[in-house]
Amino acid sequence: MTPFPSTLSRCVRPVRVAAAAALAVSLASMAAPAAAAASAASVERLLSVMKVEKQLDLMYTQTLPAMQAGMREALAKQVGSAEAEKAAQAIAPKVNAAIRDELSWKKLKPEFVQVYAETFTQAEIDAMIQFYSTPTGAGLVDKMPQVAQRSALMMQKRIVPLMQRVQQVVKEETAKQAPKK
């Protein structure tokens, strides 16, 4: 007899054990009860302690001047600077009203509730409510707009050099691809 069958047997045994373990884990995970889905009421409570409505309003207030400046700039390119200012003054209230309407808490809240309820379990929502109800959690909520604003400024500073590098790469690569004369 050759030693091959016993060697094969020793190699196959770990594979069988691994397959059996994988099957057991799969069956156990199917048999385990699903985590409780988060209720809409608890998600609404979480959004309240996180001050999401206030945060969105603050974000809108902070970004409005930049949006208006961008609109004036775009209009100036189309119709000239004097006409752009007049047009911006006429358009701005209507655009602001449209933005306020589409991004109103009344319209966004049900979608936020759905996203959170589909993403987090009830236990996770409860834990977040508990955390955001503490002084540390409330402090985090209150300071996040500052963090977000400072982070946005930090990223803005990086965008200009990044765009310059991208333009350089595009220029170099298009020069390489251009037909030789």
Side-chain angles (χ1 to χ4, degrees):
M1 288 208 153
T2 65
F4 180 73
S6 65
T7 305
L8 180 62
S9 165
R10 279 190 306 226
C11 292
V12 171
R13 241 180 278 149
V15 173
R16 284 185 187 158
V17 170
L23 179 61
V25 168
S26 295
L27 291 174
S29 67
M30 286 190 284
S39 71
S42 65
V43 172
E44 288 179 16
R45 173 78 179 117
L46 174 62
L47 296 176
S48 174
V49 297
M50 289 175 60
K51 302 177 186 174
V52 174
E53 181 178 9
K54 180 182 172 188
Q55 303 293 341
L56 289 172
D57 193 52
L58 181 61
M59 181 183 69
Y60 173 79
T61 302
Q62 289 175 343
T63 58
L64 181 62
M67 289 189 297
Q68 291 172 340
M71 183 175 61
R72 282 189 181 91
E73 188 178 312
L75 286 169
K77 289 178 182 176
Q78 292 177 3
V79 296
S81 60
E83 294 87 14
E85 189 57 39
K86 289 179 190 173
Q89 288 177 1
I91 294 169
K94 293 175 184 173
V95 170
N96 293 346
I99 292 169
R100 284 269 187 202
D101 179 54
E102 282 303 314
L103 301 179
S104 70
W105 184 239
K106 182 180 177 182
K107 287 187 178 180
L108 292 176
K109 183 179 176 181
E111 294 177 36
F112 268 98
V113 169
Q114 181 179 1
V115 167
Y116 275 73
E118 290 174 355
T119 305
F120 299 104
T121 66
Q122 186 63 53
E124 291 168 330
I125 294 290
D126 292 342
M128 286 188 278
I129 291 170
Q130 186 176 7
F131 171 72
Y132 286 114
S133 296
T134 67
T136 302
L140 175 67
V141 167
D142 291 341
K143 292 177 182 175
M144 282 311 293
Q146 294 171 2
V147 170
Q149 187 176 28
R150 292 176 69 187
S151 297
L153 290 172
M154 175 187 66
M155 293 301 289
Q156 264 182 337
K157 291 176 187 175
R158 301 258 183 227
I159 293 296
V160 172
L162 172 62
M163 291 309 297
Q164 291 170 343
R165 287 177 66 184
V166 167
Q167 289 172 349
Q168 184 63 36
V169 168
V170 169
K171 183 179 176 182
E172 290 170 3
E173 290 302 314
T174 27
K176 288 180 189 177
Q177 303 299 322
K180 307 271 194 244
K181 292 183 182 177

